[in-house]
């Protein structure tokens, strides 16, 4: 693999992570789920049992009540394993609250939450997708 190919994979995987954040904050759950492989494993930063499979991941998103939220991803580091697999880790800061009828949302007193995501991504016919996404909190709320 050339240095140019490695950098292109790093950029593509970083873009995947950013696409996910924008879709998540827009609560576009179909788009979020489409960024996972069919047999992906998702572990929420807040804990709980792993969610296995794209359809189950979509169902877990749609089951949550709506909320105002903004995710900030930082310090993303991508390690290219091969031309079809990479691992990434990112710091996540989540601001959340209740949506307001008018004006800005009211921030939740437990916000912001700070944690990490560790990802295993694979190249599919549809581009790079999450095969495994594991979140964790770094501080208690």
């Amino acid at each position: 693999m050339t240095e140019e190919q490695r950098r292109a994979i790093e950029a593509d995987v970083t873009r995947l992570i950013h696409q996910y954040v924008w879709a998540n904050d827009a609560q576009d759950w179909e788009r979020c789920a489409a960024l996972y492989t069919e047999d992906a494993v998702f572990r929420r930063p807040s804990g709980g049992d792993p969610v296995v499979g794209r359809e189950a991941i979509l169902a877990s998103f749609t089951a949550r009540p709506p909320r105002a939220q903004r995710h900030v991803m930082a310090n993303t580091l991508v390690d290219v394993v091969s031309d079809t697999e990479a691992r990434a880790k990112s710091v996540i800061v989540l601001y959340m609250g209740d949506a307001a009828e008018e004006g800005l949302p009211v921030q939740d007193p437990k916000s912001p939450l700070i944690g990490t995501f560790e990802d295993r991504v694979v190249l599919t016919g549809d581009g790079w997708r999450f095969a495994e996404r594991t979140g964790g909190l770094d501080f208690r709320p």
Side-chain angles (χ1 to χ4, degrees):
M1 174 180 313
T2 68
E3 184 69 14
E4 183 177 324
Q5 290 168 320
R6 185 187 61 76
R7 286 179 193 252
I9 292 170
E10 289 175 351
D12 289 347
V13 172
T14 300
R15 181 173 174 78
L16 171 69
I17 291 167
H18 292 169
Q19 286 176 314
Y20 182 85
V21 169
W22 281 101
N24 193 319
D25 284 347
Q27 297 183 32
D28 183 348
W29 306 132
E30 293 279 343
R31 180 69 182 136
C32 278
L35 297 175
Y36 285 89
T37 62
E38 289 289 336
D39 59 349
V41 177
F42 175 52
R43 293 175 185 86
R44 290 188 181 282
S46 56
D49 292 331
V51 183
V52 180
R54 183 186 291 160
E55 291 303 315
I57 291 168
L58 176 59
S60 77
F61 287 141
T62 59
R64 298 183 82 180
R67 68 180 181 196
Q69 63 186 23
R70 282 293 175 265
H71 293 80
V72 178
M73 302 300 287
N75 303 340
T76 299
L77 181 63
V78 178
D79 291 316
V80 177
V81 176
S82 72
D83 58 348
T84 60
E85 183 178 352
R87 297 199 177 264
K89 53 187 172 184
S90 305
V91 172
I92 182 170
V93 180
L94 170 60
Y95 295 89
M96 60 187 174
D98 297 323
E101 301 251 344
E102 285 184 25
L104 295 174
V106 177
Q107 189 168 323
D108 187 303
K110 295 185 287 186
S111 183
L113 298 175
I114 301 170
T116 56
F117 269 114
E118 293 192 17
D119 303 311
R120 185 173 66 83
V121 297
V122 295
L123 184 59
T124 71
D126 295 320
W128 290 93
R129 296 294 182 262
F130 296 106
E132 190 170 348
R133 181 148 239 239
T134 301
L137 295 178
D138 293 338
F139 299 92
R140 284 180 285 176

